[in-house]
Amino acid sequence: WKFDAALRRPRDIPLLALAALAGMGVNAVLGGLWVAWLRGMDGAAALPMIQLWWLSDALGVVLLAPVLLALGSTAALRERPWEFAAWAVLTLALGGVVFFADLQVDHYRLELPYLAIPPAVWAALRFGLPGAALGCALTAGLALASLAYRTGPFLQSGRPAELVEVTAYITTVAFACWIARSLLRSREESEAQVRAAHENAELTAQGSTDGFWDWDLTTDAGRFPERWLRQLGYDERDYAREGLRAFFATLVHPDDRAEWTRRL
């Protein structure tokens, strides 16, 4: 499927999720049926076990596979060590409040798990692949730890409901991180392509005797190959002082200048 292990494109996120769901689905079905056969369970009794096995393993792949893929690309972390340290402290502090503190207003407990998503997205945008991987893994780890300690916003009356809810939450965090990161990467690649095309045009203009120019009527800004201007006997200083409108007006015959200005 031409999967990019650096997760640079938005399409790589659902590919990773589909691979995790498919691969761990096979693992859970085969392993669950084997355990059910050993225990003498029927298929209906084994279904909840298979479902839990499947969701847990798939979630583990989605969270931990990017961490492994990011081990060789930590340049963004080394470039911003203080910002990364500030992010880690903020994430842990906010996670402690969101997942472990008992916040109440008028005897109603505040459920604030989605406040932990913005720091995770921050890591994805600022620290590249390792930031996105660590942001997802740390947020998910705090959510699972709160559930293991029988506290936090995902605590329900039954274990299956808890696991489904926390799985949905962690999936939301992961997709938010990876989509933000891949969209930023796509924009950076588009900007790099535009810069490369502009540099190629500049090199072509410098090596050619042809003349072309570009004039933005809204800003009165223009671009001219310097070599072409020199061939015509002009210099950038001839129009830089007053703008292109004023410069072009000097090239029009005095009898036509008023009409030219009006039409322009």
Side-chain angles (χ1 to χ4, degrees), residues 65-191:
V67 176
L68 298 177
L69 294 174
L71 291 179
S73 57
T74 59
L77 299 182
R78 296 193 300 269
E79 292 173 358
R80 305 182 179 95
W82 293 108
E83 183 180 354
F84 178 71
W87 166 81
V89 171
L90 175 63
T91 300
L92 290 173
L94 185 61
V97 173
V98 168
F99 297 115
F100 294 93
D102 187 12
L103 302 178
Q104 294 187 5
V105 175
D106 295 333
H107 305 291
Y108 289 98
R109 192 177 192 280
L110 297 180
E111 307 291 354
L112 306 172
Y114 290 96
L115 287 181
I117 293 181
V121 174
W122 170 21
L125 294 176
R126 295 292 291 170
F127 308 121
L129 177 61
L134 292 174
C136 293
L138 184 56
T139 304
L142 291 171
L144 292 172
S146 69
L147 192 58
Y149 281 97
R150 310 308 299 159
T151 185
F154 304 109
L155 198 62
Q156 304 291 334
S157 58
R159 288 296 180 91
E162 293 174 351
L163 294 172
V164 170
E165 188 169 348
V166 75
T167 299
Y169 172 76
I170 294 175
T171 303
T172 302
V173 175
F175 271 82
C177 290
W178 291 115
I179 290 175
R181 193 253 174 188
S182 59
L183 290 177
L184 177 63
R185 180 72 182 183
S186 298
R187 191 191 73 177
E188 291 174 345
E189 290 180 351
S190 299
E191 291 176 349

